[in-house]
Amino acid sequence: MSISQEQLLRCSVAVDVGATRTRVYLRGIGLVVDEPSAVALNSHTGALVAVGGQAEAMTGRTPDHIQVVRPVGPNGITDIEMAQRMLRHLIHAKVRRSWRFHPSLRAAACTPHDAEPLTQRAMIDTLAGLGAKRVILVDTLIATAVGCGLPVPAAEGTLIVVCGAAMTQIAVLSLGNVVAAEKVPVGGQAVDRALVEHLRINHEMMLRSHTVSQVHHDLSIAGAQGAATLEVLGRDVVSGRPRTVQVDPAAVGQAAGVPMLAVLDGIRSVLRRCPPDLVADIGDRGIVLAGESATMPGLETMLRTSVGLPVRIAERPDVAAVVGLGSMIENGAPPEAIPDATSGPAGFHEPNPAPQPNPAPQPNQAPEVATEVATD
């Protein structure tokens, strides 16, 4: 479905429900919610114990009757009811009341590129349960490119890599559309798992879930400084006691970078499917990194070395999608900057066609029905 400028300008809220974090942008206010997509649930009573950052801090520390669940997966919302309960608690009560009494509340939401109809329907139903009368779905790649300040409507090739926690999306954009795209089921979580597995096999040590990212960051800094070893604190696999081991930063960095080789293959696949003129533009402009895991240690250097293109990280890579979507509901869709050659004063007017007689109805022919993303 094509998104028009009028549709987006009628929206009052922009939502980006990701696998790791949920963000909400309100027109005229800005970003009002930026919390982890986690819910702590009491399995005996069904009551919510904590939501967002408090639930994230409970991961791995809860008794048996309290579970930390994530209602959002790599491809979208997997539990509509739990996602609605999570959003109700994350959004301020005053904002919820204004939504409830808004006669025609419209919301814009980010969805992965080429999302399946069930994924789109889950997003629509979730926001409809919060009071949205109509939901406009926008490609995450387009919204992220707008949030990064890229010239989306221009006739220039732009290569953007949105590296999330569970999935990486790669696309070449031109004239406000996706020319070629690839989705790779690898993200920051896969790198963390590779790091944990390397330490478990080679050093018989397990890391706490909350310290994996920090250990990865420290090892990357030590490797860049040329350090031979680095002390890492963890739990012994055999005895279960805390202990410290000496780790080679170079070996750990090489093991952690193995999952990202799939991202390199995805970039090469996208470039092979692009016209030569767009590839030439990308050679001059380079790759733009965005997403939750864009600042992952070693990713920028690996892409620059392996692909042979300049690489830059967006100014605010983690919130680029929701900021871009918020800019679109404030200022309209960037593709509308391209004049339509058949309508409007900026384009050429087609001559009025001669009236045609109504064709005779054909048997067993269903009437054509225009589809629209709506909740009412």
Side-chain angles (χ1 to χ4, degrees):
M1 174 183 174
S2 60
I3 304 300
S4 66
Q5 186 173 8
E6 291 77 11
Q7 288 175 322
L8 285 172
L9 288 177
R10 294 174 185 173
C11 295
S12 303
V13 58
V15 181
D16 179 21
V17 183
T20 55
R21 299 190 75 87
T22 295
R23 299 177 175 93
V24 179
Y25 182 103
L26 294 183
R27 177 200 292 273
I29 299 178
L31 192 63
V32 295
V33 174
D34 186 2
E35 292 283 343
S37 302
V39 176
L41 182 69
N42 189 325
S43 59
H44 293 168
T45 63
L48 296 185
V49 179
V51 177
Q54 296 180 353
E56 181 77 12
M58 294 181 181
T59 303
R61 298 186 173 97
T62 60
D64 293 339
H65 68 283
I66 296 179
Q67 300 177 353
V68 178
V69 298
R70 299 183 180 274
V72 187
N75 295 315
I77 295 175
T78 56
D79 190 336
I80 297 175
E81 180 183 358
M82 194 60 62
Q84 289 178 351
R85 298 176 67 182
M86 178 185 70
L87 284 172
R88 286 194 190 100
H89 284 77
L90 291 179
I91 298 173
H92 194 270
K94 183 178 179 180
V95 177
R96 292 202 309 270
R97 286 195 296 269
S98 65
W99 285 16
R100 187 180 308 163
F101 297 108
H102 200 292
S104 58
L105 177 69
R106 294 170 180 258
C110 292
T111 56
H113 181 69
D114 285 343
E116 297 181 354
L118 289 177
T119 301
Q120 299 179 6
R121 190 73 245 178
M123 178 64 70
I124 295 170
D125 292 343
T126 299
L127 296 180
L130 297 175
K133 305 301 180 183
R134 193 170 299 273
V135 179
I136 306 299
L137 302 181
V138 180
D139 195 326
T140 300
L141 295 170
I142 300 294
T144 304
V146 174
C148 294
L150 300 178
V152 178
E156 301 176 1
T158 301
L159 177 58
I160 184 170
V161 177
V162 183
C163 188
M167 181 174 62
T168 299
Q169 301 182 71
I170 308 160
V172 173
L173 309 177
S174 179
L175 292 174
N177 290 276
V178 178
V179 178
E182 190 82 15
K183 291 194 296 186
V184 182
V186 170
Q189 293 177 353
V191 175
D192 291 343
R193 288 194 297 268
L195 173 62
V196 171
E197 191 69 12
H198 174 82
L199 294 177
R200 185 185 68 83
I201 294 176
N202 295 276
H203 299 279
E204 297 183 349
M205 185 182 68
M206 295 293 295
L207 294 178
R208 294 183 298 169
S209 58
H210 294 83
T211 61
V212 176
S213 299
Q214 184 62 39
V215 170
H216 189 190
H217 179 73
D218 295 340
L219 288 172
S220 300
I221 294 178
Q225 295 176 352
T229 59
L230 180 70
E231 288 188 356
V232 176
L233 174 64
R235 179 174 63 88
D236 188 89
V237 175
V238 180
S239 64
R241 297 177 180 177
R243 71 184 183 97
T244 302
V245 297
Q246 298 291 330
V247 177
D248 182 8
V252 175
Q254 184 177 2
V258 170
M260 301 308 295
L261 296 178
V263 176
L264 299 178
D265 294 338
I267 294 175
R268 298 188 182 102
S269 174
V270 169
L271 291 176
R272 283 195 297 266
R273 286 181 279 149
C274 287
D277 293 340
L278 292 182
V279 176
D281 293 340
I282 295 170
D284 297 333
R285 306 173 66 90
I287 302 174
V288 178
L289 276 177
E292 295 282 347
S293 304
T295 57
M296 186 169 47
L299 178 60
E300 180 183 1
T301 304
M302 183 185 67
L303 292 180
R304 185 184 297 109
T305 304
S306 303
V307 183
L309 294 174
V311 180
R312 71 177 181 90
I313 302 177
E315 184 177 355
R316 300 182 64 188
D318 52 341
V319 297
V322 70
V323 169
L325 190 57
S327 176
M328 293 170 73
I329 67 174
E330 299 270 10
N331 306 314
E336 289 299 312
I338 306 170
D340 189 351
T342 61
S343 63
F348 301 98
H349 296 274
E350 288 186 342
N352 295 327
Q356 299 292 335
N358 294 330
Q362 299 294 330
N364 300 328
Q365 183 178 4
E368 183 180 357
V369 180
T371 58
E372 186 175 4
V373 178
T375 62
D376 50 353

